[in-house]
Amino acid sequence: MEKPTFRTSCFLQISKKEDGDGCEMKNKLIVSTSTAFCGLIAANVCWAGVTLPSNVRDVADMLQYSAQEQQKKAFATAETKAGVEKIEQEIAALENTDVEVEVYNNTLRQQLHSLCKQLANANFEHNRKENRLQEIQQRKTDIESKNYELNKIVEVYGEGRKGYFAYQDIIYNDGIYEGLVHKEELLSSELNDLDTTIVALNQTIDALILKMNNENIAEDPALEEADKEARLEVLKHDLEYVQNLLKEYERGYDIADRKSSSFGTESKYYSWRDDKGNKGHQFYQPFYYNIVAGPWEYGLATGFISSDNRSNDNGKVNCLTDTTLNVAFHKKAKKNDVMVFSLAVNLPTGKDALHEFDPVMDEDLVEKARFGEGLNFTPAIWYYYNRDDKNTFIFGTYYTLGGRYDLTPSMWVEPGNAWVKEMRWQHLNKKFQFLAGLSHTSYERTRENTLEYTSGHQFKPELTFNYAPDNTQFFTAYYWHTQEDPLRYATFDRMNETRRGRNYGLQWSKDIPDNRRIRLLVDWLNSSGENYDPLTNISTNQRRKTTFGIGFDQYFKERSEKLSLDIETFRMKDGAVTGTSSDNNYRGFNVYLSYLKYM
């Protein structure tokens, strides 16, 4: 049963894909960086599948990006606190200084005193506004760069939750960006007015000083007191501004201010052959669109598939996939903790094409092994506990209600409901980041005409680790494990074994000039236990797979758009299945082209 894909710009993305005996083939949770809570991206995979390398890239990119954002926020907060302390010390020093003031009534001196005070205030005000303008321009640049990074995340994994959470951040960032543009325009106008005032004051003061010099009027010590008062006034204004800025940093993420939309699509081509004379290829084009408005998020995901499986009955199919509609509501909990309530609905717009027609291929060879099914509902609840700036814990659960659908013109399926429980721990610092998680999935009984069975429970520990020696590159190591119990209460003889799948690998990502990035990856799949899928009629045993990949990213328009190209080659070997006499060897390649744009 293929579960609906859910995208939110928090970003929370849920994507579940199961084979016929209930093996959960994909299950992702993606949460992008925000100032309210640490960015998180998690991926859960029963079997590695061809999608694993891209999932690993998503996890690694989000961890690295989140760590960089945490460092920027911590640095800005520390600098602002230091600024507050420095100004408070200056004010205290000025207020405690004893200056003997000689009161005088000379008209020319009073005029000069007043003009100098006005000029000092105007100059301080000009400098303050000019600094503020530079800060606003820098913040605009940071937001544009941040949105560009988030855009690439959503683009790379459009149908995953990570893309969705990155989207949420973009909406929030866009709202801040619009406010900054307005402030920039106001400051520019005010600076022009101050320039005119300063020129006029300088001319008046020069004329007055010339007159006083001609009349031999000496300066008076009382002017020092006037300078002190002017300086105090400016410092108090500066203190108020810096204190408000510090409150803004400490207040952080505001869900109500989010407003954005995004679009993403990918072109994915898979090609394989084995040593038995079988071969096949598949083209998959998913589309994603998402809107974020304050605490609410809405998403739509669909796609087109073309599958040509040149084995057995040589099945082909060209059709739409199912369509997923999503809605989510975000609510702040204690401090910076966040709760997310979501609902995903799978609409059966795809084609029910299974093993009788043989367009279906093994999901370790192609990404999309199911094209259509019944009307499904997936409500979910997630809680994000931000212990501190470096550690975030996530607890979530979601329950999928599967709808009945036709397997063939003469067969129907009532899939068993699935209940998933997850917990995640994300740790971020400048050089090291990791994401560790556990999930458990349980299933209810599935009916297929007179056939009944219950999918085995699944248990999945995962660990993804990043090391960033500098700001231009990082290394990733990961280990994802899945254990799936055998079918239970089956009404047929063919029972599968307990299956254990292990995915582990390495990745290197390096920024290069002109807003580009290159990626290298190697991934190993090692699974044990024989399995039979009653829906797709596919059996596997003792699988080994090695994948090598290279990727290239190009960013545009200050990282608001991203174009990515990935090429992979693989070798896979299956042990002999019961009833067969020999192993089966596969080889092939995959090409992914993706585009993501934030609006």
Side-chain angles (χ1 to χ4, degrees):
M1 163 170 49
E2 184 177 5
K3 300 299 187 278
T5 301
F6 173 59
R7 301 168 55 85
T8 102
S9 66
C10 184
F11 250 11
L12 173 63
Q13 175 168 321
I14 301 171
S15 173
K16 289 189 60 184
K17 189 181 299 181
E18 300 176 1
D19 63 10
D21 64 353
C23 173
E24 183 181 327
M25 302 304 290
K26 290 175 64 181
N27 169 21
K28 309 174 194 173
L29 166 63
I30 301 172
V31 179
S32 73
T33 306
S34 73
T35 54
F37 52 90
C38 296
L40 175 63
I41 176 174
N44 236 344
V45 181
C46 173
W47 293 117
V50 297
T51 59
L52 177 63
S54 62
N55 291 344
V56 170
R57 284 193 294 271
D58 291 338
V59 174
D61 287 351
M62 184 60 74
L63 286 173
Q64 176 68 2
Y65 177 78
S66 299
Q68 292 174 348
E69 290 302 302
Q70 290 285 13
Q71 292 296 321
K72 290 178 182 178
K73 179 182 176 182
F75 178 79
T77 302
E79 287 290 300
T80 306
K81 287 182 178 179
V84 170
E85 294 176 357
K86 182 178 179 180
I87 295 174
E88 288 176 341
Q89 291 172 359
E90 289 187 45
I91 291 175
L94 284 173
E95 289 178 340
N96 294 330
T97 300
D98 292 328
V99 178
E100 294 184 2
V101 179
E102 180 183 345
V103 180
Y104 62 96
N105 297 319
N106 185 282
T107 302
L108 292 180
R109 287 175 177 166
Q110 290 177 348
Q111 292 177 5
L112 181 60
H113 179 189
S114 176
L115 290 171
C116 289
K117 181 177 180 180
Q118 294 178 43
L119 179 60
N121 289 339
N123 282 324
F124 278 114
E125 185 68 8
H126 188 280
N127 291 337
R128 187 175 69 86
K129 290 183 181 295
E130 195 170 58
N131 291 336
R132 177 57 176 160
L133 182 61
Q134 293 176 356
E135 291 174 359
I136 288 174
Q137 292 170 343
Q138 182 60 46
R139 290 186 66 190
K140 285 175 59 182
T141 300
D142 292 342
I143 289 174
E144 291 166 353
S145 176
K146 181 188 303 182
N147 281 354
Y148 183 66
E149 292 293 336
L150 289 172
N151 183 23
K152 77 179 181 181
I153 295 171
V154 176
E155 184 174 9
V156 169
Y157 193 70
E159 66 175 341
R161 296 158 286 194
K162 56 191 172 189
Y164 206 102
F165 266 101
Y167 218 95
Q168 181 181 14
D169 254 303
I170 293 171
I171 295 175
Y172 164 69
N173 291 337
D174 286 343
I176 295 178
Y177 190 93
E178 291 178 2
L180 291 174
V181 170
H182 180 66
K183 291 179 181 179
E184 183 182 32
E185 294 174 349
L186 289 177
L187 281 173
S188 296
S189 177
E190 292 171 356
L191 283 170
N192 289 334
D193 293 341
L194 281 172
D195 287 336
T196 303
T197 301
I198 290 171
V199 170
L201 285 171
N202 277 315
Q203 292 174 348
T204 305
I205 289 173
D206 289 341
L208 184 57
I209 290 176
L210 178 61
K211 181 177 181 179
M212 293 176 65
N213 288 336
N214 292 334
E215 296 180 7
N216 295 321
I217 299 176
E219 293 185 4
D220 195 287
L223 292 174
E224 296 180 7
E225 179 66 18
D227 289 339
K228 182 185 107 173
E229 293 176 358
R231 178 62 178 161
L232 276 173
E233 185 176 353
V234 173
L235 286 173
K236 289 177 181 179
H237 285 142
D238 287 345
L239 179 62
E240 181 181 2
Y241 165 74
V242 178
Q243 286 175 336
N244 290 334
L245 185 61
L246 181 61
K247 290 179 181 179
E248 182 178 335
Y249 281 132
E250 292 177 339
R251 182 174 65 250
Y253 182 67
D254 191 351
I255 293 176
D257 292 338
R258 303 185 312 157
K259 184 178 181 182
S260 68
S261 63
S262 63
F263 170 79
T265 185
E266 299 174 87
S267 297
K268 301 183 178 184
Y269 179 80
Y270 309 91
S271 178
W272 65 273
R273 64 177 62 243
D274 65 14
D275 56 6
K276 310 293 185 184
N278 301 312
K279 60 182 179 180
H281 64 262
Q282 182 182 106
F283 175 79
Y284 177 41
Q285 183 85 36
F287 299 93
Y288 322 100
Y289 182 70
N290 188 72
I291 297 176
V292 179
W296 290 97
E297 299 184 17
Y298 309 92
L300 181 148
T302 188
F304 171 80
I305 190 124
S306 177
S307 177
D308 187 358
N309 190 7
R310 300 177 186 177
S311 59
N312 299 325
D313 293 334
N314 296 320
K316 295 183 179 181
V317 67
N318 294 281
C319 65
L320 289 175
T321 63
D322 278 0
T323 299
T324 303
L325 301 178
N326 315 286
V327 61
F329 178 78
H330 296 70
K331 179 178 177 58
K332 272 200 172 183
K334 298 179 180 179
K335 297 182 179 178
N336 285 329
D337 297 347
V338 176
M339 292 193 70
V340 180
F341 306 89
S342 65
L343 175 65
V345 181
N346 182 82
L347 302 180
T349 58
K351 182 176 181 180
D352 297 324
L354 297 179
H355 60 268
E356 282 77 8
F357 310 106
D358 279 334
V360 173
M361 303 181 205
D362 191 293
E363 200 161 12
D364 282 331
L365 296 175
V366 300
E367 177 175 352
K368 199 74 172 174
R370 299 294 306 284
F371 318 123
E373 58 184 79
L375 183 66
N376 299 336
F377 298 88
T378 303
I381 299 177
W382 303 91
Y383 187 86
Y384 303 90
Y385 167 57
N386 292 281
R387 185 177 182 274
D388 50 43
D389 289 343
K390 293 182 173 61
N391 297 282
T392 297
F393 297 88
I394 293 183
F395 307 91
T397 183
Y398 52 95
Y399 191 86
T400 298
L401 303 167
R404 174 171 170 166
Y405 62 96
D406 291 331
L407 184 63
T408 70
S410 61
M411 297 182 65
W412 50 264
V413 175
E414 287 184 355
N417 298 335
W419 183 22
V420 181
K421 293 78 68 179
E422 295 188 6
M423 58 181 178
R424 307 279 170 186
W425 174 23
Q426 175 185 272
H427 176 78
L428 303 173
N429 63 45
K430 185 176 182 179
K431 288 188 176 295
F432 301 97
Q433 309 100 39
F434 69 80
L435 179 63
L438 292 174
S439 70
H440 180 268
T441 305
S442 55
Y443 300 92
E444 297 180 2
R445 184 170 301 189
T446 295
R447 296 180 59 203
E448 181 182 335
N449 283 32
T450 59
L451 180 67
E452 294 187 6
Y453 54 89
T454 302
S455 299
H457 297 328
Q458 293 180 0
F459 177 73
K460 303 177 183 180
E462 300 172 359
L463 177 64
T464 303
F465 177 84
N466 274 356
Y467 168 64
D470 53 55
N471 292 329
T472 66
Q473 63 179 328
F474 65 93
F475 299 86
T476 303
Y478 59 93
Y479 179 82
W480 296 352
H481 183 93
T482 297
Q483 176 172 312
E484 181 185 0
D485 296 336
L487 292 174
R488 295 172 291 120
Y489 310 116
T491 56
F492 55 91
D493 298 344
R494 195 165 187 174
M495 297 287 291
N496 66 336
E497 301 174 316
T498 297
R499 296 195 295 169
R500 294 177 177 85
R502 292 166 290 278
N503 270 109
Y504 48 94
L506 301 170
Q507 178 192 246
W508 174 62
S509 178
K510 171 70 174 178
D511 291 338
I512 57 179
D514 299 325
N515 277 330
R516 297 170 182 167
R517 184 175 68 162
I518 189 171
R519 292 172 276 104
L520 300 176
L521 179 137
V522 57
D523 172 75
W524 293 277
L525 163 64
N526 185 329
S527 64
S528 61
E530 183 175 332
N531 175 69
Y532 170 68
D533 178 359
L535 285 182
T536 59
N537 199 30
I538 294 175
S539 296
T540 58
N541 185 37
Q542 303 297 333
R543 173 161 288 175
R544 304 290 184 271
K545 183 181 180 183
T546 301
T547 302
F548 295 95
I550 182 170
F552 176 81
D553 302 319
Q554 175 68 67
Y555 300 98
F556 305 96
K557 296 182 179 179
E558 297 180 345
R559 294 187 172 256
S560 65
E561 296 182 45
K562 185 185 78 168
L563 183 66
S564 298
L565 174 65
D566 292 273
I567 300 175
E568 298 171 356
T569 181
F570 66 87
R571 295 290 186 271
M572 188 170 76
K573 181 178 181 179
D574 280 348
V577 182
T578 301
T580 65
S581 58
S582 63
D583 297 341
N584 197 11
N585 295 288
Y586 300 84
R587 67 183 186 277
F589 68 92
N590 310 314
V591 180
Y592 313 133
L593 180 65
S594 62
Y595 171 78
L596 181 63
K597 178 178 177 61
Y598 291 100
M599 296 173 284

